[in-house]
Amino acid sequence: MNDIEVELAQLGPDDLRRAVAAARMTAERWLRQQSIEAILETLDEVVGRWLSTGYHLRQAVDEVLPMATGFSRAAVREGFPLLMLPLRAAPLRALLDAELGDCRVLDQARRGRRAVGPLAITHVLSGNIPGLAALPMLATLALKSAAIVKPAAGDPVFPALLASSIAEVSEGLGRCIVVAPWTGGNSALEEVAFRDVDLVVASGGDAAIASIAGRVSGRFIGYGHKMSVAAIGKERLVDASALRGLAQRLAYDVSLWDQQGCLSPQACYIESGGVASPVRFAEHLAHALAELARELPPRVQTLDDKAAVLRFRQEAEWRADQGVRVYASPDSADWTVTVEPGPDLVPTCLNRCLRLKVVPSLNEVGPALVAHRRHLEAAGLAVGLERVQPIVDMLSACGIHRVCPIGTMQQPPLSWVQGGRPRIGDWVEWMAVEGGLDA
């Protein structure tokens, strides 16, 4: 496919104000009259199209997103379906049922409760992982709300393509979406986007979230900077086969999306005292990262990225007298593993750079993680079954919101409580219906 053109709307404040008003009116007069089941069926058709490699917009994604985001074509083809598959009707209905008690409370009162989505929600997106806009856009429509979307600077394309796809399937739903790219800090546009809606949901760095929060007069939900870790018990370091399999799974979690998302591990705690040593595991991990660098090539790195990776390696090499080892891709900045003693947690420069932190016991990890509680999101885990619950309890006390097997960190279910709170349950308002007046 050649000569792909994607037209991104450039709206002025008055244009955006009119577009928001029109989307709100369509949500109020049309979308709210649709049943939740009808909406879910329509959204399912949209997602089904995106999961088909023959769909013309999916083909455009495979071509355009690598250019727009810097990720390799192989990475986009590998990771994009993983982001879309959980958005089929069944899991989306399950999410609504779990967080609202019964998704039909969006249609009418049931058991004394009626849920009402905001008329319009502005989503300020961040990052450059392709497809992250899908959940907020589809979930907003499922709540019978209009979606005003500011695409992430790192992926300015996909939200517009998804909006086009929704309009192909349902003109009405398409008229409930406004995709409006602008540069953060544009006060004229942000005054409209933040004040003419009922809820603003934003993700980004801590400073950006604080800045937006200060300019939103209504309801606001912000998701700031987060990072993740992994942990391996010594009982899982038994033989070459076990080491190889575990290393391949951890390398996948590190490599897919090049640690650009909050679910990517930046450090892996590993216990000493097993049949095989942490250094032996590091050798397997280096081999697995090298293989994935060929299968899922890293994204295009800037000069600053490469300089940061070089600095990360040099700082580790300077600590050789402290027992630190470095494994790195030769002649490239594709991947790096450092083997370091001690539980302290220091973020890496991303781009497939991982600290393998050697500790005598995973019980030592808790105090080190607590210091980073505000910024922790997920943990990949590989320990014996008898140790799972105590370690989950420890990670919970440290602020971790999701624990999963190593190798599945990049495949979160919709039930993942991002930031420790409901995915969409916080967006709605509730009405109590008393005296037997409900259905």
Side-chain angles (χ1 to χ4, degrees):
M1 181 177 291
N2 298 310
D3 301 327
I4 296 173
E5 294 185 3
V6 179
E7 185 176 350
L8 302 177
Q10 298 295 324
L11 303 179
D14 291 338
D15 301 319
L16 182 58
R17 185 173 291 106
R18 285 191 290 270
V20 172
R24 286 177 66 98
M25 184 174 67
T26 304
E28 183 173 24
R29 295 184 179 179
W30 178 80
L31 182 54
R32 297 212 162 176
Q33 314 311 315
Q34 311 306 306
S35 71
I36 182 60
E37 281 303 324
I39 296 171
L40 290 176
E41 287 179 11
T42 303
L43 297 179
D44 189 67
E45 182 176 346
V46 173
V47 175
R49 292 187 180 196
W50 282 99
L51 290 172
S52 168
T53 54
Y55 182 43
H56 70 104
L57 290 178
R58 169 67 186 278
Q59 292 175 341
V61 158
D62 289 343
E63 294 293 326
V64 174
L65 287 193
M67 292 182 282
T69 66
F71 286 106
S72 67
R73 186 171 298 181
V76 171
R77 287 178 174 169
E78 170 77 12
F80 184 79
L82 300 178
L83 293 168
M84 296 300 292
L85 193 58
L87 299 174
R88 300 302 304 245
L92 193 51
R93 183 185 299 105
L95 174 67
L96 292 168
D97 284 342
E99 297 198 356
L100 304 183
D102 184 334
C103 68
R104 294 173 295 176
V105 295
L106 292 164
D107 291 338
Q108 59 182 338
R110 304 184 73 84
R111 299 180 181 177
R113 285 158 46 95
R114 172 82 157 88
V116 181
L119 258 187
I121 303 174
T122 287
H123 291 281
V124 180
L125 306 177
S126 67
N128 63 346
I129 295 179
L132 281 187
L135 173 59
M137 291 174 69
L138 300 186
T140 296
L141 295 175
L143 295 181
K144 307 186 181 185
S145 306
I148 317 305
V149 182
K150 178 187 182 298
D155 177 15
V157 176
F158 176 70
L161 294 177
L162 180 59
S164 297
S165 175
I166 293 170
E168 282 182 358
V169 177
S170 167
E171 181 183 353
L173 286 181
R175 285 191 279 111
C176 293
I177 299 175
V178 177
V179 177
W182 73 80
T183 301
N186 185 323
S187 58
L189 285 171
E190 291 181 347
E191 180 176 350
V192 177
F194 295 165
R195 295 181 183 275
D196 287 12
V197 300
D198 307 280
L199 170 66
V200 176
V201 181
S203 59
D206 293 348
I209 294 301
S211 173
I212 294 171
R215 287 175 287 141
V216 175
S217 57
R219 297 172 59 210
F220 174 73
I221 296 174
Y223 295 93
H225 170 69
K226 297 288 185 180
M227 63 179 176
S228 294
V229 299
I232 299 173
K234 60 185 178 184
E235 64 274 20
R236 299 297 297 270
L237 306 176
V238 290
D239 55 33
S241 176
L243 295 180
R244 184 166 54 252
L246 189 53
Q248 289 170 340
R249 293 192 292 277
L250 180 59
Y252 186 81
D253 286 338
V254 171
S255 299
L256 187 60
W257 307 133
D258 296 318
Q259 298 173 305
Q260 299 301 304
C262 64
L263 295 178
S264 301
Q266 296 188 39
C268 177
Y269 292 98
I270 184 168
E271 282 182 333
S272 57
V275 174
S277 69
V279 168
R280 184 65 178 144
F281 178 76
E283 294 168 354
H284 281 275
L285 182 59
H287 181 73
L289 287 166
E291 285 190 336
L292 278 175
R294 292 188 290 272
E295 296 171 10
L296 302 174
R299 71 191 184 106
V300 177
Q301 295 180 349
T302 65
L303 290 177
D304 286 344
D305 290 332
K306 294 178 181 178
V309 171
L310 180 60
R311 188 162 56 249
F312 177 76
R313 293 176 177 179
Q314 289 174 336
E315 288 175 354
E317 290 167 351
W318 293 336
R319 293 189 292 143
D321 60 343
Q322 301 172 26
V324 175
R325 296 191 182 201
V326 182
Y327 299 84
S329 53
D331 305 320
S332 79
D334 285 354
W335 56 269
T336 308
V337 177
T338 61
V339 183
E340 310 174 10
D344 57 305
L345 177 61
V346 178
T348 72
C349 58
L350 311 182
N351 294 302
R352 307 193 187 190
C353 291
L354 180 81
R355 298 184 193 274
L356 203 57
K357 302 291 297 182
V358 182
V359 292
S361 168
L362 291 180
N363 294 333
E364 293 186 5
V365 171
L369 290 182
V370 163
H372 300 272
R373 177 186 181 86
R374 181 181 168 205
H375 292 120
L376 295 176
E377 186 61 49
L381 195 58
V383 299
L385 285 177
E386 70 283 2
R387 300 181 66 193
V388 169
Q389 193 56 54
I391 292 178
V392 166
D393 291 344
M394 177 192 69
L395 294 173
S396 168
C398 296
I400 294 286
H401 304 124
R402 175 177 174 240
V403 178
C404 62
I406 287 176
T408 65
M409 296 184 72
Q410 303 295 349
Q411 302 168 52
L414 281 187
S415 57
W416 162 39
V417 283
Q418 183 180 8
R421 57 193 184 201
R423 299 298 296 272
I424 56 177
D426 285 350
W427 300 359
V428 304
E429 293 187 356
W430 288 96
M431 172 194 289
V433 180
E434 304 168 0
L437 298 176
D438 56 332

